[in-house]
């Protein structure tokens, strides 16, 4: 009972009789772990079954079953009239040296890899943790507006559709899916396209779409142009693809196309990334004149345009300006968008519209990344599009978001009079707030968090000429907006007076 091997086993082995897995299997797995990690070396003699059963307080038959399980896997050798001895099978997992480890670490998983791998600074997470009750984001919808009960019924109905099983079992698609057809119909009706399913591919998100496009389009050191203040997530994706990035000035008409003409030569640019409908983060719309200039320049210089239309559906006043891609006759534009932003995030779907040969290659790439897809989601979205539910829900939520935008502007006028400037956007779920007095936005965020208001670093924009925040209001109701603005004003005053 007091042998070193018995002491090791007594400290290492625990089991739970209440779970489904048999006790002898639980114990055998822990002994295998002890052998692999070097706590039990080759040739070590294990206690006899009678002693072992007493050690673990189990029936002797259980102890016999444990040793038989180990022997069947090749971890021990049971020698008649001599005992049971530890083996280290040559074809088993390599033994882990444990000479310096304490027994308490027997089941800890390593924190550091024992092999080299490629680290990526560009993909470092921008997520921040906070305990603050209130927060400002870059313009996300309010999940509380999602019709949970209706969607529960629709999702349940979609799961029961018999054709779903056939779709899962089918190895190749003989024709475009119903969802692809319905999505094309929706985009043709709402964005002025004239596309068919061969010009379209749907993905899990806009970020996944952009990542896939960048992998197909960009090679190491290719030149990618973005706005002077651009989407941080898009920048991370381009940098990870190996792009050399250059920034282009953005004014009240959007991206400065003349700047591209005067500072770059033909065939030197791989692509230009742009949010033409509402620039990210400034919300400025690219003017009609510059849209035509950029399309003509793309053809003359031979670069692609990646048009990210992240919030096209949130148009409050007037008609939304049609995407540049709808006027693209030369196949220069890759259009990215998202369907279902008024829905819960798991029902969102990203999509890419591009020339047919590019989409064909993208579909091959997507097969590697996401062969299964989400057929239930596609089934449900197909029905919501065909029955007009997507359109009705969007129109209903637009009324709510417009009221919140107007309410926010009233509070800003009252509490921040003369301290900030902004233009009221015709759509979208964010305002571009520029501070009249240059302050430290980092200190502003610190002071705000003391007041239970969280400002993530991804909405703060500060350099020699800019002191602004992208204020997303969609997730806040009118009462919450007033609370948030009051807290932000107090934080602002504290920074000014410090």
């Amino acid at each position: 009972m007091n042998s070193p091997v018995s002491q090791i086993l007594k400290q290492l082995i625990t089991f739970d009789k209440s779970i489904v897995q048999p006790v002898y299997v639980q114990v055998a797995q822990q002994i295998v772990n002890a052998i692999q990690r070097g706590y039990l070396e080759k040739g070590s003699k294990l206690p006899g079954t009678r002693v072992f059963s007493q050690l673990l307080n189990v029936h002797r038959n259980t102890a016999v079953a444990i040793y038989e399980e180990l022997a069947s896997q090749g971890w021990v050798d049971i020698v008649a009239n001599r005992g049971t001895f530890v083996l280290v099978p040559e074809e088993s997992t390599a033994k882990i040296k444990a000479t310096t480890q304490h027994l308490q670490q027997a089941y800890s998983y390593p924190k550091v890899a024992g092999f080299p791998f490629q680290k990526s600074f560009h993909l470092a997470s921008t997520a921040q943790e906070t305990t603050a009750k209130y927060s400002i984001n870059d313009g996300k919808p309010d999940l509380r507006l999602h019709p949970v009960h209706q969607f529960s019924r629709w999702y349940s109905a979609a799961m029961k559709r018999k054709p779903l099983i056939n779709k899962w079992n089918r190895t190749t698609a003989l024709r475009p899916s119903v969802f692809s057809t319905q999505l094309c119909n929706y985009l043709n009706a709402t964005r002025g396209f004239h596309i068919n399913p061969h010009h379209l591919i749907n993905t899990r998100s806009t970020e996944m779409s952009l990542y896939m496009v960048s992998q197909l389009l960009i090679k190491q050191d290719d030149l990618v142009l973005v706005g002077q203040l651009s989407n941080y997530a898009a920048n991370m994706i381009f940098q990870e693809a190996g792009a050399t990035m250059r920034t282009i000035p953005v004014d009240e008409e959007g991206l400065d196309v003349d700047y591209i003409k005067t500072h770059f030569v033909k065939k030197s640019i791989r692509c230009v990334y742009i949010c033409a409908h509402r620039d990210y983060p400034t919300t400025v719309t690219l003017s009609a004149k510059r849209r035509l200039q950029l399309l003509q320049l793309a053809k003359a210089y031979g670069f692609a345009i990646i048009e990210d239309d992240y919030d096209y559906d949130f148009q409050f006043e007037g008609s939304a300006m049609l995407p540049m891609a709808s006027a693209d006759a030369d196949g220069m534009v890759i259009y990215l968008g998202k369907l279902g932003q008024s829905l819960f995030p798991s029902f969102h779907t990203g999509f890419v519209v591009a020339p047919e040969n590019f989409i064909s290659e993208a579909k091959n790439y997507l097969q590697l990344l996401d062969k299964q897809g989400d057929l239930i989601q596609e089934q449900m979205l197909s029905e919501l599009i065909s029955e007009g539910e997507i359109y009705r829900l969007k129109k209903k939520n637009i009324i709510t978001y417009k009221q919140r935008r107007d309410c926010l502007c009233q509070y800003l006028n009252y509490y921040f009079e003369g301290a900030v400037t902004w233009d009221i956007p015709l759509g979208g779920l964010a305002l571009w707030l520029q501070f009249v007095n240059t302050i430290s936005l980092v200190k502003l965020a610190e002071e705000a968090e003391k007041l239970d208001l969280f400002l993530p670093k991804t909405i703060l924009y500060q350099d020699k000429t800019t002191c602004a925040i992208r204020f997303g209001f969609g997730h806040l109701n009118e009462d919450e907006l007033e609370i948030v603005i009051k807290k932000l004003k107090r934080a602002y005053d504290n920074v000014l007076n410090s």
Side-chain angles (χ1 to χ4, degrees):
M1 286 284 289
N2 295 322
S3 72
V5 172
S6 295
Q7 289 299 324
I8 290 172
L9 293 174
K10 188 173 182 179
Q11 293 181 62
L12 289 181
I13 294 174
T14 60
F15 54 86
D16 186 353
K17 294 182 179 181
S18 65
I19 65 175
V20 175
Q21 192 177 49
V23 169
Y24 80 92
V25 175
Q26 295 180 50
V27 175
Q29 288 177 348
Q30 292 175 63
I31 293 176
V32 170
N33 182 70
I35 296 171
Q36 288 180 307
R37 289 177 179 263
Y39 293 105
L40 297 175
E41 296 184 352
K42 184 176 182 179
S44 299
K45 184 178 180 181
L46 299 181
T49 55
R50 182 177 287 105
V51 174
F52 194 37
S53 65
Q54 293 173 358
L55 185 71
L56 299 183
N57 195 24
V58 296
H59 196 279
R60 188 179 178 189
N61 290 343
T62 302
V64 172
I66 293 168
Y67 285 170
E68 288 178 347
E69 178 69 17
L70 292 170
S72 70
Q73 295 184 28
W75 292 105
V76 299
D77 184 19
I78 302 175
V79 182
N81 301 319
R82 288 188 59 196
T84 302
F85 300 87
V86 171
L87 298 176
V88 180
E90 293 181 2
E91 295 181 359
S92 67
T93 304
K95 176 180 170 182
I96 301 171
K97 298 296 183 183
T99 53
T100 61
Q101 292 186 24
H102 298 292
L103 289 175
Q104 303 93 291
Q105 298 174 305
Y107 303 117
S108 62
Y109 202 76
K111 294 182 179 180
V112 179
F115 50 84
F117 62 94
Q118 186 173 339
K119 298 179 181 179
S120 178
F121 171 77
H122 309 306
L123 297 184
S125 175
T126 57
Q128 294 173 263
E129 295 182 353
T130 182
T131 58
K133 182 178 180 181
Y134 300 96
S135 66
I136 301 173
N137 57 44
D138 66 344
K140 293 179 173 57
D142 190 345
L143 301 183
R144 295 170 295 187
L145 300 180
H146 177 77
V148 176
H149 298 298
Q150 283 179 285
F151 266 71
S152 296
R153 293 197 300 270
W154 289 330
Y155 196 81
S156 177
M159 287 186 67
K160 295 174 183 176
R161 299 283 188 262
K162 291 182 179 179
L164 272 183
I165 302 298
N166 294 331
K167 290 180 182 179
W168 264 309
N169 291 335
R170 191 172 62 219
T171 55
T172 57
L174 300 178
R175 57 182 180 276
S177 67
V178 173
F179 176 65
S180 296
T181 302
Q182 290 289 356
L183 183 54
C184 281
N185 293 341
Y186 180 80
L187 295 178
N188 289 338
T190 59
R191 289 162 170 78
F193 282 127
H194 300 281
I195 60 173
N196 61 53
H198 297 296
H199 302 120
L200 174 79
I201 187 172
N202 65 290
T203 66
R204 301 279 184 171
S205 65
T206 303
E207 291 77 16
M208 184 175 180
S209 298
L210 184 57
Y211 178 81
M212 188 170 63
V213 166
S214 69
Q215 293 299 309
L216 294 174
L217 189 66
I218 299 170
K219 298 189 294 292
Q220 188 68 33
D221 298 326
D222 277 350
L223 183 61
V224 175
L225 306 185
V226 300
Q228 191 165 2
L229 302 174
S230 188
N231 187 324
Y232 65 93
N235 292 346
M236 290 167 64
I237 291 171
F238 291 136
Q239 289 171 348
E240 180 60 21
T244 298
M245 298 178 64
R246 295 288 183 269
T247 57
I248 306 301
V250 176
D251 57 26
E252 65 278 0
E253 288 190 68
L255 198 73
D256 188 344
V257 180
D258 286 335
Y259 184 92
I260 301 176
K261 286 183 182 179
T262 56
H263 288 79
F264 302 94
V265 297
K266 291 183 178 181
K267 304 300 181 181
S268 66
I269 305 168
R270 190 69 181 102
C271 65
V272 174
Y273 172 80
I274 187 169
C275 303
H277 190 48
R278 267 182 286 276
D279 178 64
Y280 189 106
T282 66
T283 74
V284 175
T285 300
L286 188 67
S287 67
K289 176 184 176 182
R290 289 193 179 175
R291 287 170 183 246
L292 292 175
Q293 287 179 332
L294 187 58
L295 284 170
Q296 292 167 0
L297 194 64
K299 183 180 180 182
Y301 277 43
F303 61 78
I305 300 171
I306 300 177
E307 182 180 11
D308 188 345
D309 227 346
Y310 61 94
D311 68 350
Y312 184 88
D313 286 337
F314 296 118
Q315 183 71 19
F316 304 147
E317 296 166 5
S319 299
M321 189 175 288
L322 293 179
M324 294 175 61
S326 66
D328 177 28
D330 300 301
M332 308 307 297
V333 182
I334 301 169
Y335 181 79
L336 312 181
K338 183 184 290 186
L339 175 70
Q341 286 178 291
S342 295
L343 313 178
F344 205 72
S346 58
F347 297 108
H348 295 180
T349 185
F351 57 83
V352 181
V353 175
E356 186 173 335
N357 64 337
F358 185 87
I359 291 297
S360 178
E361 195 65 33
K363 287 180 178 178
N364 293 336
Y365 195 85
L366 187 62
Q367 280 288 305
L368 296 175
L369 296 178
D370 188 24
K371 184 176 183 178
Q372 177 175 308
D374 191 338
L375 294 177
I376 299 176
Q377 177 207 57
E378 292 181 8
Q379 176 74 33
M380 192 187 71
L381 289 177
S382 297
E383 296 174 13
L384 295 183
I385 293 173
S386 63
E387 294 171 9
E389 290 291 345
I390 288 284
Y391 180 78
R392 284 191 287 270
L393 183 60
K394 182 184 74 171
K395 296 295 287 185
K396 178 181 177 182
N397 286 350
I398 280 176
I399 295 173
T400 300
Y401 290 132
K402 182 178 183 296
Q403 291 172 344
R404 293 181 181 184
R405 181 203 65 179
D406 296 342
C407 180
L408 173 60
C409 291
Q410 291 175 8
Y411 290 139
L412 287 171
N413 278 322
Y414 183 78
Y415 291 102
F416 275 92
E417 183 179 7
V420 295
T421 62
W422 71 94
D423 293 322
I424 301 176
L426 300 179
L429 302 182
L431 296 184
W432 179 242
L433 298 184
Q434 301 182 78
F435 291 92
V436 174
N437 296 314
T438 299
I439 61 170
S440 169
L441 296 184
V442 172
K443 290 184 178 178
L444 178 68
E446 292 172 353
E447 291 296 325
E449 189 142 22
K450 294 176 184 176
L451 301 172
D452 216 17
L453 173 63
F454 176 57
L455 276 64
K457 60 187 177 183
T458 52
I459 69 168
L460 310 178
Y461 292 84
Q462 186 156 31
D463 56 28
K464 292 181 180 179
T465 59
T466 306
C467 182
I469 63 174
R470 181 177 167 88
F471 191 116
F473 59 83
H475 66 298
L476 301 168
N477 62 35
E478 295 180 19
D479 292 335
E480 292 166 339
L481 281 170
E482 184 172 21
I483 293 171
V484 165
I485 290 299
K486 285 181 177 179
K487 290 179 180 292
L488 187 63
K489 182 58 164 63
R490 284 179 59 192
Y492 174 77
D493 291 338
N494 290 343
V495 173
L496 279 184
N497 298 327
S498 61

